[in-house]
Amino acid sequence: MERLTEDQLTELGEMFRMLGDPTRLGIILACMDEPLSVSLMARRLDASQSLVSHHLRLLRATRLVKGHRQGRTVLYQVSDDHVRTMLQNMVEHIHEETGETP
């Protein structure tokens, strides 16, 4: 494993801190397979649009999700395959314990 600078360690720690919040984790998992709007995410997560927007701002700042405009709507999705693969592996790890399939 390659060594990280202090700044890189801080950035990595911040990413994991973002993933430690159940609402933010739910948002990321919701937009892993397809880009979603704030309103659709809010409905799926049974949360307010303002709460989802607040968390998306934090997740975008740590480069865990990205948004792109489609007309007047912004659609959000997991930022890249690194994040997607890590989360898929962690979900599979959770299911190993229970014997379930994801």
Side-chain angles (χ1 to χ4, degrees):
M1 175 85 44
E2 74 183 67
R3 293 186 56 136
L4 299 175
T5 66
E6 269 308 305
D7 288 344
Q8 290 169 325
L9 283 170
T10 300
E11 183 179 358
L12 184 60
E14 185 64 17
M15 285 181 184
F16 280 112
R17 191 175 74 77
M18 288 292 116
L19 293 171
D21 179 275
T23 301
R24 287 191 290 262
L25 191 53
I27 289 169
I28 293 173
L29 293 172
C31 64
M32 275 195 26
D33 296 326
E34 62 179 323
L36 297 175
S37 66
V38 172
S39 60
L40 186 54
M41 266 189 255
R43 281 195 305 273
R44 287 187 182 177
L45 298 170
D46 193 28
S48 71
Q49 288 187 26
S50 62
L51 179 67
V52 171
S53 292
H54 168 73
H55 285 296
L56 280 167
R57 182 181 56 79
L58 298 172
L59 292 168
R60 285 179 58 202
T62 52
R63 300 180 310 136
L64 292 168
V65 298
K66 62 183 177 181
H68 68 275
R69 187 166 294 282
Q70 189 173 50
R72 292 179 10 183
T73 304
V74 177
L75 299 176
Y76 295 91
Q77 64 189 55
V78 172
S79 64
D80 60 34
D81 285 334
H82 296 108
V83 175
R84 182 176 286 104
T85 299
M86 178 195 61
L87 290 170
Q88 285 171 336
N89 286 338
M90 295 309 292
V91 168
E92 289 173 13
H93 178 70
I94 293 295
H95 286 292
E96 280 178 6
E97 294 290 317
T98 62
E100 299 174 14
T101 53

